[in-house]
Amino acid sequence: MTPNEDANLIQELFPWVSTPPIISAPMRGVSGPELAVEVSKAGGLGFIGPGLTESSLELNLIQAEKLVAGISQFQKLDVLPIGVGFIVWDSVLEVALNVILKYRPSAVWLFAAREGQKDFDLWINKLNEVSPATKIFIQLGSVTQAIEAFKSKSRPDLIVVQGSDAGGHGLKKGCGLIPLLLEIRDKLDELSYSLKIPKLPLIAAGGIAEGRGVAASLILGASGVAMGTRFLASNESLVAQGYKNALIEAEDGGQNTKRTFLFDQLRGTTGWPKDYNGRSVINQSVRDDELNSIPFEENKKLYEEALAKGDQGWGFENGRLTTFAGAEVGLIKKIEPAAQLVFKVREDAIKCLHIAL
Ligand SMILES: Cc1cc2nc3c(=O)[nH]c(=O)nc-3n(C[C@H](O)[C@H](O)[C@H](O)COP(=O)(O)O)c2cc1C
C-alpha cells in the first residue's frame, strides 16, 4: 500500500477527516471540548482527555455537542465528530458506558489497562454493545501488546503505537517510534496474512510535532498521526500560560526531558500500573531529586510552594511544576490556534510526501 492509500482507511471510518489524518491525543485535564472540536473542524480528529473529576466527562460532551451544533460539515453524521479518551485503570466502565450511550462520540481511546488486554477486551465488548458506531482506539507501546490486541476476539478498530519519545505517560521500558512502528506493522501484516484476518490501521504517536514527522510516519506504515505535546502548546489547551511558556522555552528534548515517576509522586497522582512513567521537561524538582539528593518531603514542600506561585511555578531554571512533554518539545516555537496547527501540519506533510514519492 502507498502511504496515501493507507491513510484513506481513516477517512472510511471518519468521513470528515482529511488526508493525512491528524489526531489530537486525549490528555487528562488538558484537551477539553474546545480543543477537540477545533481539531475536528479543521479536518482532523480531536479527542477530549479524561477529566479531573467523574462529572467532567458528561459536562465536556454537553459542551462538545453545543460547539458542533449547526456546523454544516457535521450535519449528516449520527455520531459526535470527536473522540473521548479513558485511562482504563483509573476509570469506571459503567460511568463511561452511560455517557457514551447518551452522546455517541465517533471514537473512544483506551490507554493503560492494569490487566492489559483482558481489561481492554471487557471495555471493547461493552462499548461495542452500547454504541456500535463508536470506533475504538487502543494506545499501546510494545510489539507484544500489539500482537495481543490484534489477535484478540475483541479487536479494537485502530491501534495507536506510542513511541517512547511521547510526552506524558507511557511504558517505562519503551522504544523509539521508528523501530516500534516498523516491527508492529510487519508483525501484524504477517498475522493478517497467516490468520486471514483484516489489517488494522496504525496511528503513530510520540515525538511528532510537524509535517515532516507526519510524512515520515505514513511512509513507515501508519495510517495517521496523533500528537499530544504539539497541541498542549495551542490556544485551546487547558494548561496554564506558565506551562505553555515552559514548552516554548524548552529545547534539545533528549537532554532536557526525561521519563520519571517523580512528578506523579510530587502531585500525588500515583496508582499507575508499575510499568508506566511519564516524560516531562527537566526542572528544579528533578535536579533536586537526582543531583542534590534533597529528601522527598522537602522536594514536595517546595513543589507545593511553586504551585502557589501560579505561572511562575513553571520553567527550566527555577520552575518546579509538572511539565509533561515529548522529546520533540524543541520543535515547538509558538502557541497557535489548534485549527491552524492542523492545516499547517497537514499541508507540510503533503509537501514532504510529494518530495518523497
Ligand atoms: C500532558 C499530557 C497528558 C496526557 N494524557 C493522556 C491521557 O489522559 N490519556 C492518554 O491515552 N494519553 C495521554 N497522553 C499521551 C498521549 O496520548 C500521546 O501518547 C502523546 O502525547 C504522544 O506523544 P507527543 O506528546 O510526543 O505528541 C498525554 C500526553 C501529555 C503530553
Side-chain angles (χ1 to χ4, degrees):
M1 252 184 224
T2 69
N4 289 338
E5 272 168 340
D6 212 9
N8 290 341
L9 291 172
I10 306 295
Q11 277 184 313
E12 287 170 22
L13 302 176
F14 308 103
W16 69 91
V17 171
S18 303
T19 302
I22 310 293
I23 296 167
S24 62
M27 294 181 277
R28 188 201 288 274
V30 172
S31 35
E34 288 76 12
L35 174 56
V37 170
E38 280 305 302
V39 169
S40 289
K41 268 166 60 182
L45 173 59
F47 274 87
I48 295 178
L52 297 174
T53 60
E54 210 169 88
S55 60
S56 51
L57 173 60
E58 180 153 20
L59 295 175
N60 281 337
L61 283 159
I62 293 173
Q63 178 65 3
E65 256 188 357
K66 280 195 196 138
L67 291 169
V68 301
I71 298 178
S72 56
Q73 77 199 97
F74 300 140
Q75 242 140 53
K76 289 202 178 116
L77 299 173
D78 57 357
V79 286
L80 260 184
I82 47 117
V84 186
F86 294 95
I87 294 175
V88 170
W89 71 267
D90 194 22
S91 304
V92 180
L93 178 56
E94 286 66 33
V95 174
L97 292 174
N98 285 336
V99 176
I100 300 303
L101 174 66
K102 200 157 159 197
Y103 297 94
R104 296 168 51 79
S106 60
V108 162
W109 167 310
L110 305 176
F111 180 50
R114 200 175 292 288
E115 301 289 328
Q117 193 58 39
K118 194 169 136 224
D119 285 347
F120 286 136
D121 286 345
L122 177 69
W123 275 69
I124 295 172
N125 281 332
K126 297 278 181 195
L127 285 164
N128 282 337
E129 273 170 32
V130 301
S131 181
T134 299
K135 303 297 170 210
I136 315 285
F137 293 57
I138 58 178
Q139 177 164 246
L140 304 169
S142 77
V143 179
T144 310
Q145 288 178 330
I147 291 174
E148 263 190 287
F150 189 76
K151 286 165 103 177
S152 164
K153 281 212 178 83
S154 347
R155 287 186 353 141
D157 297 289
L158 304 100
I159 291 178
V160 183
V161 177
Q162 188 196 39
S164 60
D165 287 331
H169 286 88
L171 284 184
K172 188 173 64 174
K173 234 171 93 189
C175 175
L177 184 60
I178 293 181
L180 185 63
L181 188 54
L182 288 175
E183 194 176 343
I184 291 179
R185 180 78 278 166
D186 287 352
K187 285 275 179 350
L188 299 196
D189 286 353
E190 275 164 37
L191 284 171
S192 164
Y193 182 75
S194 59
L195 302 177
K196 299 190 174 35
I197 47 179
K199 289 187 177 187
L200 278 185
L202 301 180
I203 303 299
I208 303 162
E210 26 95 302
R212 289 173 295 179
V214 174
S217 302
L218 295 199
I219 289 172
L220 295 170
S223 301
V225 160
M227 298 188 293
T229 305
R230 180 56 274 201
F231 285 109
L232 268 175
S234 69
N235 293 7
E236 293 82 358
S237 98
L238 299 173
V239 294
Q241 189 58 42
Y243 190 148
K244 293 183 188 179
N245 295 344
L247 296 174
I248 302 302
E249 179 195 23
E251 286 184 341
D252 199 359
Q255 300 303 306
N256 296 318
T257 68
K258 78 170 293 186
R259 306 201 69 88
T260 171
F261 295 111
L262 180 66
F263 289 105
D264 282 324
Q265 290 160 344
L266 290 172
R267 301 191 310 170
T269 49
T270 49
W272 278 86
K274 61 178 181 346
D275 40 353
Y276 284 80
N277 63 8
R279 183 177 289 280
S280 176
V281 173
I282 293 173
N283 60 15
Q284 197 54 36
S285 294
V286 179
R287 288 189 291 271
D288 276 347
D289 181 57
E290 294 182 359
L291 300 178
N292 305 330
S293 300
I294 73 163
F296 176 75
E297 285 313 320
E298 173 67 8
N299 210 357
K300 190 164 166 60
K301 191 167 143 277
L302 291 166
Y303 188 89
E304 275 149 20
E305 285 169 15
L307 269 178
K309 291 187 191 160
D311 287 335
Q312 306 309 318
W314 281 274
F316 179 74
E317 284 295 331
N318 301 311
R320 295 189 160 270
L321 298 181
T322 312
T323 317
F324 283 135
E328 74 281 18
V329 67
L331 296 169
I332 301 174
K333 306 287 186 213
K334 57 178 178 176
I335 314 296
E336 289 175 73
Q340 193 174 301
L341 280 172
V342 176
F343 288 124
K344 170 100 175 80
V345 168
R346 198 164 55 220
E347 194 183 306
D348 287 349
I350 290 169
K351 279 188 202 147
C352 291
L353 287 167
H354 279 141
I355 295 167
L357 290 175

